[in-house]
Amino acid sequence: MKNIYLLLSLLLISSACNAPKTTNKQKNTPVNEFAIIIHGGAGTILKKNMTPEKETAYKTKLEEAIRTGYEILKNGGSSGDAVVKTIQVMEESPLFNAGKGAVFTHDETNELDASFMDGKTLNAGAVAGVKDIKSPIEAARIVMTNSDHVMLSGSGASQFAKEQGLEIVDPSYFYTENRFKSLQRIKDKEKTALDHDDKEASFYDTDIKNSKFGTVGCVALDKNGNITAGTSTGGMTNKRWGRIGDSPIIGSGTYANNKTCGVSSTGWGEYFIRSQVAYDISAQMEYQQKSLKEATKDVIQNKLTKLGGTGGVVALDKNGNMSFEFNTAGMYRASMNDKGDLIIKIYND
């Protein structure tokens, strides 16, 4: 009998030794030396509402943006430079609700927000409600590097940007006819609404069907293992009273930590603020040992959705794993890894 027990014990030990690697081991295996992932907003983006010409325009601009950052990373540049230069391509395009394509407030002005975070130092910078800074993402980075603060707003942020030599433009630079017409349609809808509880009147935009979802963002991992995340937006169409969403708020719209991941959010900002979406993904990875995919799925599909929030994130972990996660019909998105593999998608497919 003792011999049988001994034999069984040896078999169990042998099985344990030959067992597959643990999940944690797999999570710690690098898959990309460097990588980059971007979004251009999420919402009710349906193929039936998109012309072939417009779809091509979005995909072309997404590719231009991500290849800009990819070349920087490929040549040994920093993830910080890659994030800023990539986002600037989208800020300068009227296709996206950021920079040049920013939506209009109720008062028919453009108020821009952006944030930037360095995963190595956990330092961060942000600007909110600015009206004349050509590149809000550049301003956010300068707040991080050249000031003792994290967030500057309004005229103070503009004054700081001027003193730092950033490009200042006349507010008319941000005017685009389609965004202005979207605001007028919303105002007309408000005027004719029989019930003031018609909340969607404040959010509707013909370009993406949900004007609160046009934000752009980028996360990059460089060859030195540093993660940087950035987000830039024009906010919500028809917003009032100096409303600020999640995009300039560290932990909500943007978060980066070399120990875990980098995240950029796009969605209904109030819910992302209340959920601390970007930080929650990192925290689940750090404290619950979840993979990037597990954490992004739980935060977006479970926690955010149950709260009533809609939108999504792009995320990139320290090993180069990437995740697109959203609970809307679509999200403008793209990614590239160290092998040059390019993915560009719009719809939920």
Side-chain angles (χ1 to χ4, degrees):
M1 183 64 72
K2 288 182 179 180
N3 289 336
I4 293 175
Y5 284 137
L6 180 61
L7 180 60
L8 288 172
S9 298
L10 290 171
L11 287 171
L12 287 171
I13 293 171
S14 176
S15 296
C17 291
N18 293 325
K21 300 289 185 180
T22 64
T23 302
N24 285 338
K25 288 271 189 180
Q26 290 170 353
K27 289 175 187 174
N28 292 323
T29 302
V31 295
N32 288 303
E33 183 185 15
F34 65 93
I36 184 168
I37 189 167
I38 66 174
H39 68 77
T44 311
I45 308 169
L46 301 173
K47 194 173 184 65
K48 66 180 183 181
N49 297 327
M50 186 80 70
T51 65
E53 294 78 14
K54 199 164 192 178
E55 182 175 312
T56 298
Y58 273 107
K59 287 185 174 181
T60 299
K61 189 56 65 172
L62 287 169
E63 181 171 357
E64 178 189 346
I66 200 163
R67 285 194 181 279
T68 297
Y70 172 79
E71 288 300 319
I72 292 172
L73 297 171
K74 181 182 177 182
N75 293 319
S78 72
S79 56
D81 287 345
V83 165
V84 170
K85 296 299 183 183
T86 297
I87 289 179
Q88 283 179 326
V89 172
M90 293 186 282
E91 284 182 336
E92 293 172 7
S93 169
L95 291 173
F96 305 101
N97 176 19
K100 178 65 177 174
V103 298
F104 283 83
T105 69
H106 183 77
D107 295 328
E108 301 183 354
T109 60
N110 307 103
E111 296 178 0
L112 314 170
D113 311 320
S115 59
F116 179 94
M117 187 167 183
D118 178 359
K120 180 180 180 180
T121 63
L122 301 186
N123 201 358
V127 294
V130 298
K131 299 179 180 180
D132 58 0
I133 300 175
K134 183 178 181 181
S135 176
I137 190 63
E138 183 180 18
R141 187 185 194 182
I142 293 295
V143 170
M144 184 192 83
T145 59
N146 293 13
S147 81
D148 296 325
H149 311 298
V150 171
M151 183 185 292
L152 299 179
S153 66
S155 59
S158 292
Q159 182 60 38
F160 176 76
K162 292 174 186 175
E163 293 175 3
Q164 295 297 314
L166 271 61
E167 186 171 358
I168 303 299
V169 295
D170 187 272
S172 62
Y173 166 81
F174 302 106
Y175 179 92
T176 53
E177 187 69 16
N178 64 323
R179 299 298 194 195
F180 188 74
K181 287 181 178 178
S182 292
L183 175 66
Q184 302 311 312
R185 283 190 291 269
I186 289 170
K187 285 187 172 182
D188 289 342
K189 187 174 181 180
E190 285 183 332
K191 289 176 183 177
T192 58
L194 297 177
D195 186 348
H196 287 295
D197 288 335
D198 184 14
K199 295 180 181 178
E200 285 304 309
S202 297
F203 305 133
Y204 186 76
D205 185 285
T206 56
D207 278 346
I208 57 174
K209 303 302 177 186
N210 297 94
S211 65
K212 53 187 175 288
F213 299 139
T215 299
V216 306
C218 175
V219 185
L221 169 71
D222 63 32
K223 291 182 178 180
N224 292 318
N226 295 323
I227 302 172
T228 301
T231 310
S232 182
T233 188
M236 182 184 290
T237 301
N238 200 35
K239 63 184 178 182
R240 310 187 195 195
W241 312 299
R243 178 263 186 188
I244 302 295
D246 66 304
S247 295
I249 298 178
I250 302 304
S252 298
T254 301
Y255 193 75
N257 187 331
N258 280 5
K259 290 182 179 179
T260 53
C261 66
V263 181
S264 176
S265 308
T266 175
W268 195 330
E270 280 70 13
Y271 290 92
F272 280 71
I273 293 170
R274 291 159 59 193
S275 302
Q276 282 291 283
V277 162
Y279 174 72
D280 194 9
I281 291 168
S282 173
Q284 288 196 22
M285 293 180 67
E286 183 172 1
Y287 303 123
Q288 297 181 355
Q289 301 303 305
K290 288 187 177 181
S291 69
L292 180 71
K293 186 60 180 177
E294 290 169 339
T296 55
K297 184 175 182 180
D298 179 56
V299 171
I300 299 300
Q301 306 298 346
N302 181 26
K303 299 174 75 172
L304 181 70
T305 300
K306 284 181 178 178
L307 193 63
T310 44
V313 297
V314 294
L316 173 62
D317 75 11
K318 64 181 181 180
N319 294 314
N321 294 295
M322 292 178 277
S323 176
F324 302 113
E325 195 70 51
F326 53 98
N327 63 3
T328 54
M331 180 168 72
Y332 299 110
R333 59 203 190 274
S335 66
M336 288 189 77
N337 61 18
D338 59 2
K339 303 162 194 67
D341 299 328
L342 172 66
I343 295 173
I344 301 176
K345 292 187 176 183
I346 296 176
Y347 314 108
N348 189 1
D349 51 21

